[in-house]
């Protein structure tokens, strides 16, 4: 006898809590660029300046993940010029089909494992469940506080959300069940009995 856990499974994507993109509302020319991809930037440090007299600063500490333009280039309205992401503050987003989503609730425990880090499992908790009506999908946000710095936004892992647990259950290996029967051994005697799962 032991504990048995029923779970809903899905593929989760690590997602940053904080991300920021510099975009202009009008066409402008870059007059100063202070960062490049991969730079770690402290809150309040300048990112990029424009001929319009505007200089954009980092609203939080993070890492520059995109800065494709060079000094003197003209950029058009709503074009992402610099992207800043906080790599140390993230959550996991899981997409589920309707049947599984109906069984998920805030507060349920969840585990995530990554293929490249087999043997390592990280514990978390369901924070919320919400729909994407346009695509008939349902998203689960899972907070996992102890993800290491090596796991970055955009990485994917296998997620198990615990929806039910029973203690003191009679446990039988699946390989021992054949045609709905299991062999019970009592000393030298063997007896096949029908089981109900």
């Amino acid at each position: 006898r032991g504990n048995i856990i029923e779970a809903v499974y899905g593929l989760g994507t690590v997602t940053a809590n904080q991300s920021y993109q510099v975009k202009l509302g009008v066409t402008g020319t870059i007059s100063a660029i202070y960062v490049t991809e991969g730079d770690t930037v402290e809150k309040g440090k300048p990112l990029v300046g424009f001929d319009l007299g505007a200089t954009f600063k980092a609203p939080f500490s993070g890492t520059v993940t995109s800065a494709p333009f060079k000094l003197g280039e003209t950029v058009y309205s709503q074009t992402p010029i610099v992207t800043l992401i906080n790599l140390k503050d993230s959550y996991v987003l899981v997409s589920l089909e309707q049947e599984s989503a109906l069984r998920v609730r805030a507060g349920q425990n969840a585990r995530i494992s990554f293929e490249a880090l087999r043997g390592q499992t990280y514990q978390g908790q369901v924070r919320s469940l919400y729909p994407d009506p346009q695509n008939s999908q349902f998203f689960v946000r899972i907070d996992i506080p102890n993800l290491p710095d090596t796991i970055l936004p955009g990485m994917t892992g296998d997620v198990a959300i615990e929806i039910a647990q029973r203690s003191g259950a009679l446990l039988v290996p699946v390989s021992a069940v054949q045609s709905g029967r299991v062999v019970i051994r009592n000393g030298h005697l063997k007896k096949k009995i029908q089981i109900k799962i």
Side-chain angles (χ1 to χ4, degrees):
R1 291 188 177 275
N3 297 334
I4 191 164
I5 295 170
E6 186 179 359
V8 168
Y9 298 92
L11 187 66
T13 303
V14 178
T15 307
N17 266 316
Q18 291 181 304
S19 63
Y20 172 71
Q21 284 188 328
V22 175
K23 294 180 184 178
L24 291 178
V26 295
T27 300
T29 302
I30 297 174
S31 61
I33 189 146
Y34 303 98
V35 294
T36 188
E37 285 95 348
D39 284 355
T40 300
V41 180
E42 295 297 319
K43 180 180 178 179
K45 296 294 182 183
L47 300 172
V48 63
F50 297 94
D51 62 340
L52 307 167
T55 297
F56 288 82
K57 296 181 179 180
F60 53 83
S61 297
T63 302
V64 176
T65 59
S66 176
F69 295 98
K70 307 293 180 222
L71 188 66
E73 282 192 80
T74 299
V75 290
Y76 297 99
S77 171
Q78 299 305 311
T79 302
I81 300 153
V82 174
T83 302
L84 180 72
I85 293 178
N86 183 350
L87 301 180
K88 297 181 188 214
D89 182 15
S90 56
Y91 61 95
V92 173
L93 193 64
V94 183
S95 173
L96 296 176
E97 78 285 346
Q98 180 176 313
E99 186 178 333
S100 295
L102 283 168
R103 307 184 74 189
V104 174
R105 302 279 180 272
Q108 289 172 326
N109 292 324
R111 299 182 318 274
I112 186 167
S113 60
F114 297 88
E115 191 172 332
L117 300 170
R118 284 296 172 210
Q120 290 279 357
T121 301
Y122 303 96
Q123 302 293 325
Q125 197 170 57
V126 173
R127 181 172 178 176
S128 60
L129 169 72
Y130 58 93
D132 176 9
Q134 293 180 344
N135 298 313
S136 298
Q137 288 182 313
F138 301 89
F139 291 103
V140 179
R141 179 186 170 129
I142 300 171
D143 290 335
I144 301 184
N146 298 319
L147 282 178
D149 293 344
T150 53
I151 296 175
L152 303 173
M155 291 183 174
T156 57
D158 297 318
V159 175
I161 301 168
E162 297 176 10
I163 56 172
Q165 188 177 61
R166 186 172 296 175
S167 58
L170 180 62
L171 305 178
V172 178
V174 172
S175 59
V177 180
Q178 295 177 352
S179 303
R181 294 174 178 242
V182 68
V183 175
I184 300 287
R185 188 178 295 161
N186 187 356
H188 295 293
L189 299 174
K190 292 182 183 177
K191 182 179 175 185
K192 277 190 181 179
I193 62 165
Q194 190 76 30
I195 61 168
K196 183 178 178 183
I197 299 173

